[in-house]
Structures are given as structure tokens and as C-alpha cells.
Amino acid sequence: RIVIMEELFPIKTLTTASDFAQVFFDILNCHKWLYDYPRILHRNISMSNIMYRFDEQRNVCGVLNDMDLSFDLVEDSKETLLLRTGTPPFMAIDLLREYSLQPEHIYRHDLESLFYVMLTVFTRYELIATEPTSQDHRARRLLRRIDPLLSEWFDSTTSWERLSKEKELFFTSTLLFD
């Protein structure tokens, strides 16, 4: 078998704020279209599932990737919708709480996940210029992690309940930014 498809790039390789804005705009439109027309919820929006490609004019276009955990609102059984799915640092608070025994995954949970991706990109990384190399005489920009802010969100030993509390604290505490 041969599979031919366009090359997709991870969002960590974007180099301008306007490209990030375009990708997030495209992802919002794609997500809304999936929900409105084929009636699909993605259920696993994360940094690794948001990619981009270039169109014929070399414009950046956002791509929502990895539909493995998606849910067909027309065809799939309701029980599947009650399964907790997602990448914990990007999951909605409602889906992380232990007291929510079987929370139903709804549209706004995917939007909350997208918000956490944006929050991660804009608070934990910065665009930096690189020095020109002997092979390529142009300076480039790349994304570099700069801040341990939200680091507990990405610690695999953090329980889902603790993660939900950390997210709530992020939004309610003024100490984080003092």
C-alpha cells in the first residue's frame, strides 16, 4: 500500500504571531464545521493534534488532526460519549473532576481544550530569532519554552482531580502573576 498525503507540520514550528492566529482561526472553523455538518465532536484537542500545512500560495492553513477519539453524534452510542477522553493538560475541567462520575463530553469541552492549547503556547513559549548558519544565511525564528508556568499540568504523575484544581487555581488566584 502507498499512502499519499500533504505534509503536516506541528504548531511548535510556526514562526510568526500571525501564523498562530491563522492556525487557531482555521481550527475553530474546522471544529465548528465538524460539529454542524457531519455532527462530530473531536474530543482530543491538544498541541499535538493541531497541525498546519501550506496552500498553493504558501499561506499557512490550520489542520485538526487525529480523529481517533472523535464521536459521531448521529451514529455512535451515547455510552461512548460518556467515556473520558483527551490529553489531560488540555482536557476541560469538568472532564477531569472525580466527582463527575460520567461527564458527557459536549461541544464546549472541545473549545475549552483549544483555549488550553492557546494558553500553553502563549504563556510557556516565546518566539526567538536564531543566528544565521553557514548553510543558510538567513536568521530564523523558532518557538522556545521559557516558563515553568503550568508545569504541573504537564506532570504525568498529577492526578486528574489535582489537575482540575490547578486549572481552577490558575483562573482564580492573583498570586500567579504577582
Side-chain angles (χ1 to χ4, degrees):
R1 292 184 193 191
I2 297 175
V3 177
I4 300 172
M5 59 186 285
E6 289 183 89
E7 185 174 9
L8 300 178
F9 304 94
I11 61 171
K12 286 182 181 181
T13 62
L14 289 168
T15 59
T16 68
S18 62
D19 286 347
F20 275 105
Q22 185 62 56
V23 166
F24 288 126
F25 177 77
D26 292 345
I27 295 304
L28 278 169
N29 283 327
C30 175
H31 186 264
K32 177 82 167 105
W33 184 88
L34 282 169
Y35 185 78
D36 286 345
Y37 296 103
R39 304 288 297 149
I40 291 174
L41 276 174
H42 188 276
R43 300 191 324 151
N44 189 20
I45 294 177
S46 68
M47 279 186 73
S48 60
N49 292 338
I50 296 176
M51 309 285 280
Y52 70 94
R53 65 177 181 81
F54 294 102
D55 66 12
E56 300 81 25
Q57 291 80 37
R58 300 290 300 158
N59 297 313
V60 168
C61 302
V63 177
L64 187 56
N65 197 28
D66 190 1
M67 303 297 285
D68 293 352
L69 298 176
S70 65
F71 180 83
D72 184 325
L73 292 161
V74 177
E75 299 288 326
D76 292 343
S77 88
K78 187 79 163 179
E79 289 77 36
T80 306
L81 195 58
L82 297 175
L83 297 174
R84 293 178 204 232
T85 61
T87 304
F90 306 105
M91 286 173 65
I93 292 172
D94 289 350
L95 299 175
L96 293 168
R97 290 187 177 130
E98 287 179 10
Y99 65 81
S100 302
L101 294 179
Q102 287 193 324
E104 183 177 329
H105 196 114
I106 58 177
Y107 183 79
R108 78 169 172 81
H109 292 141
D110 278 359
L111 295 181
E112 188 175 334
S113 293
L114 181 60
F115 173 75
Y116 293 137
V117 171
M118 290 188 277
L119 186 66
T120 299
V121 168
F122 302 139
T123 61
R124 295 192 71 183
Y125 295 89
E126 71 176 343
L127 285 171
I128 60 165
T130 62
E131 296 296 321
T133 64
S134 57
Q135 293 88 10
D136 185 352
H137 300 288
R138 295 175 296 173
R140 298 196 180 272
R141 289 192 287 184
L142 57 96
L143 205 58
R144 178 182 71 175
R145 190 162 64 195
I146 57 163
D147 197 335
L149 187 64
L150 314 179
S151 60
E152 189 154 337
W153 294 18
F154 294 90
D155 181 348
S156 62
T157 63
T158 301
S159 71
W160 286 13
E161 183 66 23
R162 177 76 185 144
L163 182 53
S164 73
K165 289 181 172 129
E166 285 294 320
K167 287 183 176 185
E168 288 174 352
L169 184 64
F170 178 83
F171 291 109
T172 58
S173 175
T174 58
L175 298 176
L176 289 172
F177 302 103
D178 288 341

